[in-house]
Amino acid sequence: MEEKSLTARICAFSRAYHREKNNVRIFDDQIAKLLLSEEEYNMTARNMSQGIRYFNPTFEGNDEEALRWVVDNQLSPTPLGRAAFAERALETAVGYGAKQYLILAAGYDTFAYRQPAWSNNIEIYEIDHPATSIDKSERLRRAELKIPKNVHFIEADFVMEGWKSMLNPNVGFDKHKISFCSMLGMTYYFSKQVFNKFMEKISSIVPINSTIVLDYPDENYFSEGVGENKHSKLAAAANEKMNACYSYKEMEEILQKNNFLIFEHLDSAEMTEQYFSDYNKANPLYPMSAQNSVNYCLAVKKSV
């Protein structure tokens, strides 16, 4: 549990720090900090500022400036960008009739606890490994956060063959209702074969016109030249090895094989333009851009 919680904790820290330091935000998560103890927040901040030389060997500045650089350039761009992308797409999908929201590998996702009015009539399923789910529930309890009636916790190990059986009528799930699925930060850790099998399962439990959003690394992600290898090395150090990257064609083929057609696709430059521009205009001293070699994809299930 500790290893899985480490990644979730760093993502929560980056969202909390972004909200605390900025008035104009790429993504506004007012709940993230409540899931972290003061000790965890301060320890993460200290560790990141002290690790500046790993990310930027020539950096000059004080600890707070170092922390800001690490968060803005290494920690925040992907969690902020993909969350903004997913939740904008979710609102659109609900407007078109989606009734269920499946948050795959939910981690410390906080959508369920800051629900806007448009989401009140959907059922939300937070699906994650039992250890992570238990940890999340304890954090919600300590934060005294009320769990809305439309929120359901599903403990499922995605590497186990029968995990999809956990989504059944006993927990209120209806495979005939249009669903919106998010699988953020997952494709990095699956082999291509496992990812294909995973998409087979998703396709088998959601009906036509359901949507899935995901982020994925492209062919250059592990290249030394672009510097993204630091992320894969850090993941490996946390015993979460990244296993695969995809060309657009490969991603398109896997999705099509499982009856999903790409409806929207953004590369890092497009993500920066669409989701980071307002923040960058308001924060010229601290510009941010989406992580190189990461793409963001929205796909819709169509008939065979």
Side-chain angles (χ1 to χ4, degrees):
M1 183 177 73
E2 183 61 29
E3 291 169 350
K4 291 181 179 295
S5 296
L6 176 62
T7 302
R9 188 164 69 236
I10 290 175
C11 287
F13 171 83
S14 70
R15 298 195 304 270
Y17 183 91
H18 182 70
R19 184 175 200 272
E20 199 169 64
K21 295 297 180 180
N22 303 289
N23 293 321
V24 176
R25 304 169 183 119
I26 296 164
F27 180 74
D28 189 7
D29 189 340
Q30 65 269 37
I31 300 295
K33 193 170 184 181
L34 299 178
L35 297 182
L36 303 174
S37 69
E38 184 176 357
E39 179 183 3
E40 286 176 322
Y41 186 90
N42 293 335
M43 179 182 67
T44 303
R46 184 171 58 252
N47 289 343
M48 292 303 149
S49 65
Q50 291 176 352
I52 182 65
R53 298 298 171 193
Y54 176 75
F55 296 106
N56 186 349
T58 62
F59 178 83
E60 294 184 4
N62 59 36
D63 287 348
E64 181 55 37
E65 291 168 335
L67 176 60
R68 177 98 196 203
W69 192 96
V70 172
V71 173
D72 287 359
N73 290 276
Q74 299 293 327
L75 303 187
S76 284
T78 297
L80 295 175
R82 68 191 180 198
F85 178 75
E87 292 190 15
R88 181 184 292 182
L90 172 63
E91 182 176 6
T92 300
V94 170
Y96 281 103
K99 299 297 183 184
Q100 300 175 136
Y101 180 22
L102 279 58
I103 311 176
L104 304 161
Y108 295 167
D109 187 283
T110 64
F111 176 81
Y113 317 102
R114 47 180 174 77
Q115 291 184 49
W118 53 260
S119 69
N120 291 342
N121 294 321
I122 64 172
E123 297 300 316
I124 300 171
Y125 295 87
E126 291 199 3
I127 310 166
D128 214 331
H129 188 279
T132 305
S133 185
I134 292 169
D135 175 58
K136 171 81 166 286
S137 296
E138 176 60 22
R139 290 175 184 276
L140 292 170
R141 185 193 65 77
R142 289 202 305 262
E144 299 182 348
L145 288 170
K146 182 180 179 180
I147 299 175
K149 293 181 180 180
N150 64 335
V151 177
H152 313 270
F153 297 98
I154 307 295
E155 296 181 4
D157 188 341
F158 295 122
V159 302
M160 301 298 289
E161 186 64 29
W163 70 264
K164 73 174 186 179
S165 65
M166 304 300 292
L167 281 167
N168 57 59
N170 292 332
V171 295
F173 180 76
D174 187 338
K175 67 182 297 182
H176 302 292
K177 289 183 177 181
I178 296 175
S179 297
F180 182 96
C181 311
S182 67
M183 54 175 302
L184 305 177
M186 294 179 68
T187 59
Y188 307 78
Y189 305 103
F190 288 162
S191 68
K192 292 180 181 180
Q193 181 179 16
V194 170
F195 175 52
N196 183 64
K197 287 287 187 183
F198 190 85
M199 287 305 306
E200 282 183 18
K201 290 183 172 67
I202 295 297
S203 186
S204 72
I205 60 176
V206 299
I208 292 170
N209 294 324
S210 292
T211 304
I212 189 164
V213 293
L214 55 90
D215 56 322
Y216 71 92
D218 70 20
E219 315 96 306
N220 298 315
Y221 187 81
F222 296 107
S223 300
E224 294 284 340
V226 297
E228 306 304 341
N229 61 301
K230 292 185 183 296
H231 295 87
S232 60
K233 289 178 180 177
L234 287 174
N239 199 30
E240 294 187 25
K241 183 180 178 181
M242 295 183 177
N243 289 305
C245 56
Y246 303 81
S247 67
Y248 177 88
K249 183 178 181 181
E250 286 178 312
M251 180 56 64
E252 182 180 46
E253 287 176 349
I254 291 175
L255 292 173
Q256 284 185 343
K257 182 179 178 181
N258 294 290
N259 304 321
F260 281 91
L261 298 180
I262 293 177
F263 184 79
E264 184 178 11
H265 187 277
L266 302 178
D267 62 19
S268 58
E270 292 165 329
M271 171 61 72
T272 300
E273 175 62 28
Q274 291 192 35
Y275 288 88
F276 290 54
S277 57
D278 289 345
Y279 165 83
N280 284 335
K281 289 175 184 176
N283 295 275
L285 296 179
Y286 303 103
M288 293 177 64
S289 59
Q291 185 180 343
N292 289 335
S293 298
V294 173
N295 298 305
Y296 305 82
C297 180
L298 181 155
V300 179
K301 186 180 177 183
K302 298 299 181 182
S303 58
V304 179

